[in-house]
Amino acid sequence: MVEVVNNEEKLMANKKIFVGLPCYNEEKNIGKLLDSWLDLADDLLQRGYELVLRPVDDKSSDKTKDILEAYANKYSNIKPIYHKENKNLGGGLNSIINTFLANCQRGDLLAVMDGDYTHLPIFSLSMIDKLAYSYDIVIASRYRKGSEIHGLSKFREMMSIGARIYYSLVLGIKGVRDYTCGYRIYTYEILEEGKNKYKENLVQNTSFACMMELLYKLYKSGAKIAEVPFVLKYDNKEGESKMNVGKTSKDSIVSAIKLRLGK
Ligand SMILES: Nc1nc2c(ncn2[C@@H]2O[C@H](COP(=O)(O)OP(=O)(O)O)[C@@H](O)[C@H]2O)c(=O)[nH]1
Ligand SMILES: [Mg+2]
């Protein structure tokens, strides 16, 4: 009897892992990604975290919204956010952060990753384990021993390497090699700290440069940041990349300098 009670207690999570998934035209990918998070729910519970999935549909023109509605009807822990107009990735990230801060509390975690099924949920386990060493943010990094990249074009790989070199020179964040990968876990406490410092300006970039901006502003808010290796499964992706290469590059170069200069 005592055994059973202990087991139940172990499985009772009093903390949440809130998973924010930015989605724009991800009809071919989002179902597989949600299924794979649902498969991980027990492992997360073993670590003390109840899984809450918050995909954000950014006014997709395909069937993404219908798919999210069907999942939400079936699973009580999937609670999509629907934008009435397209707000780009920065808008999606803002919705995720604001919803997380409003609905969660200290001790809870926010995981954010692409909705294109190239970032696998399983890596969140090693990320959570790493956070336990008093980190505020853990990044799933393409540039650590054991990391692998599958299916990314040589051009995109070179772009990412260029971004890594440029950001390291301009921003030089301790512990960070991968500034652009969207797969990260943040503590509630560091996002609260960042929000207190920057208010509604925590994420101002609407383009893909928003990921780098958030990281730098949280670093300036005192974040201790670590990375773990992960396997980027770009070969899982169905459909085109939504990254506008020209705009992202221009925005990234200019915003990094402005951030560094404190503007
Ligand atoms: N909220 C929002 N998310 C977007 C938009 N465009 C792309 N995304 C999401 O941003 C993430 C990164 O885009 P993705 O196509 O995967 O870029 P890539 O992995 O760099 O090729 C994915 O989860 C997309 O669904 C947008 O306009 N709004
Ligand atoms: Mg992607």
Side-chain angles (χ1 to χ4, degrees):
M1 187 63 188
V2 172
E3 273 298 310
V4 174
V5 170
N6 280 345
N7 263 342
E8 278 177 359
E9 273 177 6
K10 242 191 240 165
L11 287 173
M12 285 236 305
N14 53 10
K15 293 177 288 184
K16 280 186 205 144
I17 179 159
F18 181 110
V19 180
L21 304 169
C23 298
Y24 182 65
N25 290 350
E26 297 292 3
E27 65 178 5
K28 296 197 179 119
N29 304 305
I30 192 62
K32 286 180 268 186
L33 179 57
L34 291 173
D35 288 341
S36 132
W37 270 110
L38 291 167
D39 285 346
L40 205 67
D42 284 347
D43 293 288
L44 293 165
L45 213 52
Q46 293 289 349
R47 281 168 168 77
Y49 293 95
E50 181 197 337
L51 174 66
V52 182
L53 291 161
R54 304 298 308 252
V56 181
D57 175 56
D58 200 21
K59 192 74 180 157
S60 295
S61 54
D62 68 359
K63 293 201 167 57
T64 300
K65 187 177 179 197
D66 301 340
I67 294 169
L68 295 183
E69 277 172 346
Y71 269 87
N73 286 334
K74 194 164 168 199
Y75 300 99
S76 60
N77 62 340
I78 300 185
K79 297 172 183 158
I81 298 165
Y82 303 113
H83 283 175
K84 291 202 176 75
E85 58 193 52
N86 183 274
K87 298 180 176 174
N88 209 344
L89 184 56
L93 190 58
N94 264 314
S95 291
I96 288 168
I97 293 170
N98 292 337
T99 311
F100 172 67
L101 289 175
N103 290 281
C104 292
Q105 57 189 352
R106 291 184 180 184
D108 293 341
L109 301 177
L110 172 66
V112 181
M113 56 149 67
D114 285 6
D116 61 356
Y117 196 46
T118 59
H119 299 162
L120 301 186
I122 188 80
F123 294 103
S124 67
L125 300 179
S126 58
M127 294 164 85
I128 291 172
D129 293 344
K130 189 81 181 182
L131 275 171
Y133 290 88
S134 300
Y135 288 105
D136 305 294
I137 302 172
V138 172
I139 300 172
S141 171
R142 290 163 293 178
Y143 309 121
R144 291 284 163 183
K145 192 161 180 274
S147 301
E148 292 173 30
I149 301 176
H150 296 263
L152 195 63
S153 71
K154 276 282 160 250
F155 173 69
R156 282 291 305 271
E157 258 192 69
M158 292 311 291
M159 254 193 85
S160 300
I161 291 170
R164 175 185 165 186
I165 296 169
Y166 178 74
Y167 288 142
S168 302
L169 288 171
V170 178
L171 303 176
I173 304 179
K174 192 164 169 270
V176 177
R177 292 183 187 168
D178 200 333
Y179 289 79
T180 48
C181 180
Y183 190 1
R184 301 179 190 150
I185 300 185
Y186 310 84
T187 63
Y188 186 94
E189 289 81 348
I190 195 62
L191 285 165
E192 188 180 46
E193 198 68 39
K195 202 75 186 176
N196 285 340
K197 183 170 161 76
Y198 292 96
K199 309 282 183 294
E200 69 281 1
N201 296 328
L202 182 58
V203 179
Q204 289 177 294
N205 268 283
T206 52
S207 75
F208 281 38
C210 63
M211 287 293 169
M212 165 278 295
E213 179 189 9
L214 177 64
L215 195 66
Y216 188 71
K217 286 183 173 169
L218 293 179
Y219 173 62
K220 285 285 157 190
S221 307
K224 261 184 74 193
I225 307 170
E227 293 190 336
V228 297
F230 97 116
V231 179
L232 174 65
K233 289 288 292 170
Y234 211 78
D235 49 349
N236 274 356
K237 187 181 179 89
E238 289 196 57
E240 294 301 303
S241 167
K242 281 99 194 177
M243 187 169 86
N244 178 332
V245 173
K247 181 167 168 40
T248 302
S249 311
K250 188 174 148 256
D251 272 9
S252 308
I253 290 169
V254 176
S255 354
I257 291 176
K258 281 191 179 163
L259 280 169
R260 185 56 210 271
L261 296 175
K263 289 185 180 164

